[in-house]
Amino acid sequence: MTAALSSLALALLCLLQAGAQVPVQPDLDTEKFAGVWYVTAIASNCSIFLKMKDGMKSSMAIISFMPEGDLALKLLWPLMDKCQKFELLLQQSGQAGHYTGMCRAQDKRDLRVMETDYSHYAVLHEAHDSQAEPSSALQLLTREQDVSPQLLQKFMQLIPTMGLTKDMLAILPKSGEWPEDTGWQ
């Protein structure tokens, strides 16, 4: 089970753009965007995600930026009896808000910050160009684990615009308290 959840987390980290033109937050302020976020909702066509979405809980994402503009992402996924950590470094792709990288040997990853108000929410589009299974996802990140019905409704309206359907949506329940030994708080 832990291996399957780890695979799911890696798949979520390595999702690819499915051909749609994806907007990027104009003039993304990386200082305001950096910090702790919670992944509170995800819509994805990834087969691993679709099999496991009903058992997932909210995860913690810690975002920071390198001096050259690259994005460093640390994810903390709650598993049965522990938390799994994942770390990624994505290169800035011409503009703040658009980042790319490699996931494993030949799998390309594309991440775009579509929209954010910096203090409450962010919508990310992730794309994974894999030889095995190209896929895409939208993620709703919030500064708190709670998500307002209005924000969730706004997120749900974006789903079909990215070629996804509402049956691909998982609204992630709270994970509870994060263990103090994560080293990331």
Side-chain angles (χ1 to χ4, degrees), residues 1-12 48 52-53 55-57 77-82 84 86:
M1 180 69 160
T2 299
L5 287 173
S6 295
S7 295
L8 171 63
L10 286 174
L12 290 174
I48 296 170
M52 302 184 73
K53 70 183 180 85
M56 295 177 66
K57 291 186 177 182
W77 288 92
L79 302 176
M80 302 283 256
D81 58 346
K82 64 177 183 170
Q84 182 70 46
F86 298 94

Side-chain angles (χ1 to χ4, degrees), residues 3 17 21 35 42 72 85 89 93 95 100 114 128 156 158 183:
Q17 176 181 348
Q21 192 66 347
I42 303 172
K85 296 179 192 178
L89 181 62
S93 178
Q95 73 180 104
T100 60
M114 290 178 58
H128 179 234
M156 291 174 69
L158 286 174

Side-chain angles (χ1 to χ4, degrees), residues 10 12-15 30 33 62-75 87-104 107-113 124-128 139:
L10 286 174
L12 290 174
L13 293 173
C14 302
L15 293 169
T30 56
F33 190 70
I62 301 167
I63 297 174
S64 59
F65 293 89
M66 310 312 286
E68 63 279 356
D70 295 346
L71 182 143
L73 176 65
K74 295 178 181 181
L75 285 170
E87 296 185 49
L88 291 171
L89 181 62
L90 299 168
Q91 290 75 42
Q92 186 173 339
S93 178
Q95 73 180 104
H98 183 200
Y99 305 92
T100 60
M102 297 297 287
C103 180
R104 290 176 270 161
D107 296 346
K108 294 179 185 175
R109 180 178 42 249
D110 183 280
L111 176 104
R112 296 171 194 242
V113 179
L124 304 183
H125 181 271
E126 289 186 79
H128 179 234
Q139 292 189 11

